[in-house]
């Protein structure tokens, strides 16, 4: 009789284990693409996003997840202005964020981590370093469970979730390479009706300016434009150089911000902050991109506006923080400038 009970218990445990694995694989299949897209957009590793989603939502079957599309157990917090839902957690009937879709929950999870300074150090880690991310989340206070990091790592290892982080990185690199290839195609097509000598010169120009093993096209004339201005063209060197004692690179339209951040060993959030960029996944135009914080004052006193330039453009070409320019000149970000205007790059001394 005892042996029969033991066999039944083993069978039940086996069925239960199989059922949980099936739920896990179903969850991964359903949401892996969302995790990959969020990694491309925000820099949060897809493996971590999936593991947290699986753990926090009970593989998508928790009451909070089913009723509120909240996959990550994020509570309301003072800054939350969206829909809410109340559930028992550390205390009874705590306020949790509610979403209209799983995709909205995934996006808010990424933004939540990016917007909290205590998580900022995580974005300095390699995106495939899931162990560092797991322990960092626990240390920063994402969850109260003592074994939270170990549980995330266990899920990632059991279901090989790091493969999805690697897939995201490959997609970022492929996107950049395709942008380069498209430029070559356009240039090649432009030579079809040229005389042979001009075609030869153009092909030599392409060979000189495009390196297929890098993510940027270098030594070209560029236009560092913004939403409201089309600034003057300039030629910048390849790789890292300096403007106003700050390290900067020139990157082309279509280059992934996440890829740039990873290449230069900084977090995506820092890259965006250093360059005072608007929300974007890839560069909307050719840009100077600083890989360290710009200085508060310029290398000279004044900048003379020569064309349809704005303060954002001047901030980048002179390596001066936009906030400082606004203060020095008593202007707003969208203030218009005209040819001949003088823009202070340093604080004006009171005589």
């Amino acid at each position: 009789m005892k042996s029969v009970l033991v066999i039944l218990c083993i069978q039940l445990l086996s069925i239960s284990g199989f059922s949980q694995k099936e739920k896990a694989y179903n969850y991964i299949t359903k949401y892996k693409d969302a995790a990959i897209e969020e990694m491309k957009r925000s820099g949060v590793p897809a493996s971590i996003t999936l593991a947290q989603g699986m753990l926090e939502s009970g593989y998508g079957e928790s009451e909070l997840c089913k009723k509120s599309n909240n996959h990550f157990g994020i509570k309301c917090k003072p800054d939350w202005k969206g829909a809410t839902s109340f559930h028992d957690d550390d205390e009874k009937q705590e306020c949790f964020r509610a979403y209209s879709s799983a995709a909205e929950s995934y996006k808010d999870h990424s933004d939540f981590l990016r917007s909290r300074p205590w998580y900022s150090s995580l974005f300095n880690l390699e995106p495939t370093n899931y162990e560092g991310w797991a322990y960092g989340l626990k240390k920063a206070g994402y969850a109260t469970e003592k074994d939270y990091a170990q549980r995330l790592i266990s899920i990632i290892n059991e279901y090989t979730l790091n493969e999805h982080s690697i897939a995201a990185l490959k997609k970022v690199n492929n996107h950049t390479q395709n942008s380069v290839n498209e430029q070559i195609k356009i240039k090649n097509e432009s030579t079809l009706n040229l005389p042979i000598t001009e075609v030869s010169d153009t092909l030599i120009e392409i060979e000189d300016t495009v390196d297929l093993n890098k993510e940027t096209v270098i030594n070209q004339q560029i236009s560092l434009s913004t939403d409201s201005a089309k600034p003057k063209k300039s030629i910048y060197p390849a790789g890292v150089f300096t403007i106003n004692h700050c390290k900067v690179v020139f990157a082309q339209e279509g280059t992934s911000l996440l890829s740039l951040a990873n290449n230069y060993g900084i977090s995506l959030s820092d890259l965006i902050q250093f360059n005072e960029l608007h929300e974007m996944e890839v560069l909307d135009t050719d840009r100077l991109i600083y890989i360290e914080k710009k200085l508060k004052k310029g290398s000279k006193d004044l900048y003379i506006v020569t064309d349809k330039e704005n303060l954002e453009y001047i901030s980048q070409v002179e390596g001066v923080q936009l906030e400082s320019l606004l203060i020095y000149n008593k202007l707003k970000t969208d203030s218009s400038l005209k040819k001949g205007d003088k823009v202070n790059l340093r604080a004006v001394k009171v005589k």
Side-chain angles (χ1 to χ4, degrees), residues 5-153:
L5 289 173
V6 170
I7 292 171
L8 285 173
C9 288
I10 293 172
Q11 288 179 336
L12 288 172
L13 288 172
S14 177
I15 292 170
S16 175
F18 176 78
S19 177
Q20 180 171 304
K21 281 183 179 278
E22 185 178 27
K23 290 176 183 178
Y25 284 120
N26 287 340
Y27 187 95
I28 295 166
T29 300
K30 193 171 183 180
Y31 299 112
K32 62 182 176 63
D33 290 338
I36 288 172
E37 288 305 310
E38 278 306 305
M39 177 170 165
K40 288 167 58 183
R41 185 185 73 87
S42 69
V44 180
S47 61
I48 287 292
T49 298
L50 282 170
Q52 283 195 282
M54 293 163 73
L55 182 59
E56 297 286 351
S57 73
Y59 307 101
E61 296 198 347
S62 70
E63 181 184 4
L64 180 62
C65 183
K66 287 181 176 180
K67 290 187 176 181
S68 308
N69 283 309
N70 189 329
H71 285 248
F72 302 95
I74 300 179
K75 295 178 182 179
C76 292
K77 306 298 182 184
D79 61 335
W80 179 245
K81 306 299 182 183
T84 60
S85 181
F86 294 87
H87 298 267
D88 293 345
D89 190 51
D90 297 326
E91 299 178 7
K92 288 189 176 183
Q93 292 298 289
E94 288 192 86
C95 182
F96 286 85
R97 301 183 180 192
Y99 309 97
S100 60
S101 66
E104 188 180 324
S105 176
Y106 268 66
K107 183 179 184 300
D108 188 53
H109 169 258
S110 301
D111 293 343
F112 181 84
L113 294 180
R114 278 181 51 180
S115 63
R116 267 60 182 177
W118 47 90
Y119 295 121
S120 62
S121 63
L122 297 178
F123 291 90
N124 293 323
L125 300 173
E126 289 293 327
T128 52
N129 182 5
Y130 58 88
E131 291 186 347
W133 268 83
Y135 284 108
L137 285 169
K138 169 56 185 169
K139 184 178 180 180
Y142 190 95
T144 56
E145 296 91 337
K146 292 182 179 179
D147 62 344
Y148 188 75
Q150 292 88 337
R151 292 170 72 183
L152 289 179
I153 293 169

Side-chain angles (χ1 to χ4, degrees), residues 58-338:
Y59 307 101
E61 296 198 347
S62 70
E63 181 184 4
L64 180 62
C65 183
K66 287 181 176 180
K67 290 187 176 181
S68 308
N69 283 309
N70 189 329
H71 285 248
F72 302 95
I74 300 179
K75 295 178 182 179
C76 292
K77 306 298 182 184
D79 61 335
W80 179 245
K81 306 299 182 183
T84 60
S85 181
F86 294 87
H87 298 267
D88 293 345
D89 190 51
D90 297 326
E91 299 178 7
K92 288 189 176 183
Q93 292 298 289
E94 288 192 86
C95 182
F96 286 85
R97 301 183 180 192
Y99 309 97
S100 60
S101 66
E104 188 180 324
S105 176
Y106 268 66
K107 183 179 184 300
D108 188 53
H109 169 258
S110 301
D111 293 343
F112 181 84
L113 294 180
R114 278 181 51 180
S115 63
R116 267 60 182 177
W118 47 90
Y119 295 121
S120 62
S121 63
L122 297 178
F123 291 90
N124 293 323
L125 300 173
E126 289 293 327
T128 52
N129 182 5
Y130 58 88
E131 291 186 347
W133 268 83
Y135 284 108
L137 285 169
K138 169 56 185 169
K139 184 178 180 180
Y142 190 95
T144 56
E145 296 91 337
K146 292 182 179 179
D147 62 344
Y148 188 75
Q150 292 88 337
R151 292 170 72 183
L152 289 179
I153 293 169
S154 177
I155 291 173
I156 291 170
N157 287 333
E158 183 172 2
Y159 299 104
T160 60
L161 299 184
N162 207 33
E163 291 181 357
H164 302 297
S165 293
I166 295 171
L169 288 174
K170 286 180 178 178
K171 284 192 175 186
V172 167
N173 292 334
N174 287 341
H175 184 279
T176 304
Q177 187 63 61
N178 288 339
S179 297
V180 173
N181 291 341
E182 184 62 24
Q183 284 205 332
I184 296 173
K185 179 182 176 183
I186 292 170
K187 283 196 172 185
N188 283 334
E189 289 175 350
S190 69
T191 67
L192 291 178
N193 297 320
L194 293 175
I196 294 296
T197 54
E198 292 188 36
V199 171
S200 177
D201 290 341
T202 303
L203 291 177
I204 290 171
E205 178 190 351
I206 294 171
E207 290 176 358
D208 288 342
T209 57
V210 180
D211 182 352
L212 294 180
N213 294 319
K214 295 182 180 179
E215 293 182 356
T216 58
V217 179
I218 60 175
N219 294 333
Q220 280 186 294
Q221 281 198 323
I222 65 153
S223 174
L224 179 62
S225 62
T226 61
D227 294 339
S228 59
K230 187 178 181 181
K232 61 187 179 183
K233 295 181 179 180
S234 302
I235 296 175
Y236 295 102
V240 179
F241 56 101
T242 60
I243 294 178
N244 193 25
H245 307 293
C246 300
K247 293 178 181 178
V248 62
V249 296
F250 165 64
Q252 279 211 326
E253 177 182 354
T255 302
S256 161
L257 290 176
L258 175 60
S259 179
L260 280 171
N262 288 336
N263 283 348
Y264 296 104
I266 60 177
S267 69
L268 180 61
S269 57
D270 280 345
L271 187 75
I272 291 172
Q273 182 184 4
F274 293 161
N275 295 277
E276 297 145 327
L277 292 170
H278 305 296
E279 193 71 30
M280 63 178 78
E281 295 179 25
V282 296
L283 291 180
D284 55 350
T285 186
D286 300 341
R287 287 179 181 268
L288 288 167
I289 297 295
Y290 287 85
I291 55 177
E292 62 182 1
K293 197 169 187 178
K294 290 178 287 186
L295 299 184
K296 292 184 177 181
K297 63 181 181 179
S299 58
K300 56 188 179 183
D301 292 332
L302 293 172
Y303 179 92
I304 308 299
V305 178
T306 59
D307 203 350
K308 294 179 180 179
E309 300 166 344
N310 60 24
L311 289 172
E312 290 181 11
Y313 169 77
I314 296 170
S315 170
Q316 291 298 97
V317 297
E318 291 295 331
V320 182
Q321 292 176 25
L322 179 59
E323 184 180 0
S324 295
L325 292 183
L326 298 176
I327 294 171
Y328 299 156
N329 298 278
K330 298 179 181 180
L331 295 172
K332 296 181 179 179
T333 306
D334 58 354
S335 295
S336 59
L337 302 174
K338 61 182 184 296

